[in-house]
Amino acid sequence: MTPADAMTQTDCNTAPETMGDLQMLLRDEFGRQGIESTPLPAYLTSSLNPAMRLRDYQAECFRYFITYWEKLTFGKEAQPHLLFHMATGSGKTLIMAGLILYLYEKGYRNFLFFVSSTNIIDKTRDNLTNPVSPKYLFAHSIDIDQRKVVVRPVDDFGDSRDDCINLCLTTTQGLHSALSSPCEGGLTYDDFASASVVMISDEAHHVNVATKRGGKGSGGTSPGSVAEPVDWESTVMRIFHTPHESPLPTCCSTLPPPRISPIRLLPQNTATR
């Protein structure tokens, strides 16, 4: 965030001047100097690709997120659903990689990363799971709390390992199809009912099918209910509302308007269009 302008309850097409400013609330509550002095975990330097040093606004983005996660005690969702509203080319996947490391340290082990298209998922798979790729986002040795951690690609979370980042990558359509027609060795709603899963959505505006057509996109169902979600957004929200905590950081790319920072961290209480 250069500077960090808005941590807001909004959709990503709302004009900046009409946004409620929750990021300002953080600055009012903790002070800009207090946020700027928030220490970044060492692994955000040592365990991300050293050739991809964090830019100043990315480091500031992490400081706002950490302040929100660790210090905010009011006006905060019990189950965080946040939007990183980022300009094209501002490094959103690197931010997501750093969030994976941070949330692993906080006790999460299972991560579902879903994107809008097969082309993007292939690039993301290279970025997050292929150490020989020139665009691999992690360091070759990931160390968190003096422990070696491995990024482990999985198809489901049935055999998750506690010493690994268990990472499932899929498209939004593939996720919806897998959960609508479950098969052996694939994701099912049971994966989310039995363990906490961090859900990370790239290009989040593509998910909001129900919102675009004027619905609420709340899912309207819960595990064990008879009605099945009928669109991608409802599927995602059904997972989000499972009994186990499933934080949902999302990304939405946009061209930066004048004087607006390339990263905006927004509470996602309302859906992105």
Side-chain angles (χ1 to χ4, degrees):
M1 307 171 202
T2 3
D5 286 311
M7 183 173 175
T8 324
Q9 191 167 291
T10 182
D11 67 72
C12 68
N13 286 334
T14 305
E17 61 270 19
T18 66
M19 293 177 174
D21 198 344
L22 186 55
Q23 221 159 304
M24 182 66 75
L25 181 151
L26 283 174
R27 288 200 293 266
D28 288 346
E29 178 69 11
F30 302 107
R32 187 170 187 89
Q33 287 186 345
I35 293 172
E36 290 177 349
S37 64
T38 298
L40 294 182
Y43 51 75
L44 289 181
T45 301
S46 63
S47 293
L48 291 174
N49 189 330
M52 301 178 187
R53 185 175 179 180
L54 290 179
R55 303 167 197 173
D56 289 344
Y57 63 82
Q58 290 171 322
E60 187 177 1
C61 178
F62 281 121
R63 290 190 174 96
Y64 269 86
F65 177 80
I66 291 169
T67 300
Y68 167 83
W69 192 274
E70 298 183 1
K71 298 180 181 179
L72 190 65
T73 57
F74 64 93
K76 181 179 179 180
E77 298 168 307
Q79 189 152 307
H81 184 187
L82 298 175
L83 170 68
F84 290 78
H85 191 187
M86 303 174 64
T88 301
S90 59
K92 63 180 181 294
T93 313
L94 184 63
I95 292 290
M96 296 296 104
L99 286 180
I100 289 173
L101 298 180
Y102 177 82
L103 292 171
Y104 179 92
E105 184 201 20
K106 298 304 176 185
Y108 294 92
R109 296 295 182 264
N110 302 317
F111 297 83
L112 174 67
F113 199 120
F114 53 101
V115 301
S116 59
S117 72
T118 302
N119 287 341
I120 295 176
I121 201 65
D122 289 341
K123 293 177 182 177
T124 304
R125 183 175 288 107
D126 241 21
N127 292 345
L128 296 177
T129 67
N130 182 8
V132 301
S133 168
K135 295 189 176 181
Y136 185 59
L137 296 175
F138 296 111
H140 286 289
S141 178
I142 300 175
D143 298 276
I144 300 177
D145 290 338
Q146 299 182 331
R147 291 188 298 175
K148 298 289 184 185
V149 178
V150 175
V151 178
R152 178 174 176 256
V154 298
D155 294 321
D156 60 65
F157 300 112
D159 63 343
S160 294
R161 287 172 43 183
D162 193 59
D163 61 338
C164 295
I165 293 168
N166 303 284
L167 180 61
C168 180
L169 296 115
T170 185
T171 62
T172 308
Q173 182 177 4
L175 175 65
H176 176 68
S177 298
L179 295 176
S180 299
S181 303
C183 62
E184 186 176 354
L187 283 170
T188 70
Y189 285 111
D190 289 341
D191 284 292
F192 305 97
S194 59
S196 296
V197 178
V198 177
M199 303 161 60
I200 301 175
S201 174
D202 194 7
E203 301 292 350
H205 51 286
H206 291 296
V207 174
N208 297 79
V209 177
T211 300
K212 287 178 181 178
R213 65 169 181 249
K216 294 182 180 180
S218 63
T221 62
S222 59
S225 64
V226 175
E228 288 295 329
V230 294
D231 55 54
W232 305 341
E233 182 177 358
S234 298
T235 296
V236 170
M237 296 314 295
R238 174 174 170 177
I239 297 169
F240 181 64
H241 291 298
T242 54
H244 278 271
E245 184 183 355
S246 297
L248 178 51
T250 64
C251 279
C252 175
S253 291
T254 180
L255 292 175
R259 299 182 301 280
I260 298 300
S261 65
I263 298 179
R264 305 165 71 83
L265 178 59
L266 315 172
Q268 189 61 347
N269 290 339
T270 55
T272 18
R273 293 183 175 86

